Structure formats: structure tokens, C-alpha cells
Amino acid sequence: DAGITQSPRHKVTETGTPVTLRCHQTENHRYMYWYRQDPGHGLRLIHYSYGVKDTDKGEVSDGYSVSRSKTEDFLLTLESATSSQTSVYFCASMAEYRGGNTEAFFGQGTRLTVV
Amino acid sequence: GQSLEQPSEVTAVEGAIVQINCTYQTSGFYGLSWYQQHDGGAPTFLSYNALDGLEETGRFSSFLSRSDSYGYLLLQELQMKDSASYFCAVRFPTGYSTLTFGKGTMLLVSP
């Protein structure tokens, strides 16, 4: 399995505070993603990265920012947490194989509660 | 827009065969993938179809028809441990290879 870890695994924070979630991968994958998962919505893309310092917005990027200063680390920041950002957050990195096949590897998720 | 439609829930019994469909309203994607997620766990990769046709991996098979904008995941010889959510996903060449998921299908396998 690709080594991809998220920290923290659980966090409770207060409304209005900034929060940073960390994702670390050891496979030298170029692409990394942050998703949130809510009941009835599946996995929705927040931001993604296609290289060091190369990032772009996904479909639900409002209120979030990301940074990627090293290939292995992809940080997600909630600039001022709101209750609507209570969710489970998953990070993923993508392996690209010969022939165009791809496989995403997910971290174990971070359960964030904003009170 | 890019959308993937899946049934929200499918039920089956142990030993049966079940098919989970994924229809999409988009074009120009690289391929169709399937992921499994057990309750409380992380999604894990099952299969990838770059070309039309059937891909088989043990008890699981996946199919893609670009002309019909349709794919499916076929699970054979169902086991209780197959109870999970299943997501189809497409990878788009625009936006530097974003990976977009359907909302998922919860499969409930009963004895």
C-alpha cells in the first residue's frame, strides 16, 4: 500500500478558528487531492495539486486554502472554521501507471467537528 | 457539467451476483474507476477501465461503454464482507487530472 497518512485523525474546533489538516505521502506521487465526505454527497473535491506549489480549486473550495511546499506534503487550511465545515476529510494521492491506468490512494480520514 | 449517477442503495444475499450501474453526463475523460469504502474506513481502489469492455479482477468485474455513457461494477459470489459503499469515478484531462466521484451506492449483503 502507498504510504499516505493524515493528521490529526480527529479534531474538535470552535467556530471562527483556523484549522490546518496535514497529508503526507511517501510514494512521490505528483497528484494529490483533498475531499470532504458528507452523507448524501459522496466525495467532493475541495482542492488538488499537480506538483510542488501547483494547486487549483475543486468544486467546494470556498473557505479552504491549500499549500504544497514539498512533493510529500499537502496541507488543507480552513481559514475561519464554520459549522458547515463539519465533515470527514480525505486526502488522496494518485499513482499513474504505464498505459494510462491510475489508482488513487486515500488516507484514513480526519473527522472534523466545528462547534 | 460533470455528473455521475449511481443508485443510492442495492441489497442482495450472500452468494448472489449484483450489478452497480454508473451513468454519466460528461465526455472526454480518461477512464472510469471503482472504489470500495467500508463504513468508517477510507476508499480503496477496485478497478479501472481505460477502454470499452470488461475488466475482471477475481470476483469483481467492471465494464465501460463510452458510446452509451455507462459503466457498471459486477460483484459475484457475494460475501457479507462486500457490504460497503461503492463509488464510480472519472478522471478528466482538464484541470490537470482531477478525479470526480459519484455519490456512491451502499451495498447491503444479507445472509
Side-chain angles (χ1 to χ4, degrees), chain B residues 2-15:
Chain B
Q2 305 159 351
S3 68
L4 299 148
E5 298 295 327
Q6 304 179 233
S8 59
E9 188 174 305
V10 173
T11 59
V13 297
E14 271 189 304

Side-chain angles (χ1 to χ4, degrees), chain A residues 34-97:
Chain A
W34 275 108
Y35 293 91
R36 61 177 290 173
Q37 186 171 37
D38 306 287
H41 290 278
L43 292 156
R44 292 184 292 174
L45 183 65
I46 305 171
H47 281 279
Y48 64 98
S49 171
Y50 46 94
V52 173
K53 296 186 180 180
D54 292 323
T55 65
D56 207 345
K57 297 178 180 180
E59 63 176 302
V60 290
S61 60
D62 287 349
Y64 302 94
S65 62
V66 290
S67 66
R68 193 166 179 202
S69 59
K70 298 185 289 185
T71 297
E72 56 265 38
D73 292 326
F74 193 32
L75 304 181
L76 175 71
T77 297
L78 288 66
E79 294 143 8
S80 177
T82 67
S83 58
S84 65
Q85 294 176 311
T86 292
S87 186
V88 179
Y89 291 85
F90 284 100
C91 172
S93 67
M94 180 182 286
E96 300 172 277
Y97 304 121

Side-chain angles (χ1 to χ4, degrees), chain A residues 33 35 37 48 101-102 104, chain B residues 35 37 48 91 95-97 99:
Chain A
Y33 307 88
Y35 293 91
Q37 186 171 37
Y48 64 98
N101 194 359
T102 59
Chain B
Y35 289 79
Q37 185 182 30
Y48 179 83
R91 178 189 170 210
Y96 292 95
S97 200
L99 188 62

Side-chain angles (χ1 to χ4, degrees), chain B residues 77-100:
Chain B
E77 301 174 18
L78 280 174
Q79 303 174 11
M80 296 292 290
K81 67 178 182 179
D82 296 329
S83 292
S85 292
Y86 293 84
F87 296 88
C88 59
V90 293
R91 178 189 170 210
F92 292 98
T94 56
Y96 292 95
S97 200
T98 55
L99 188 62
T100 299

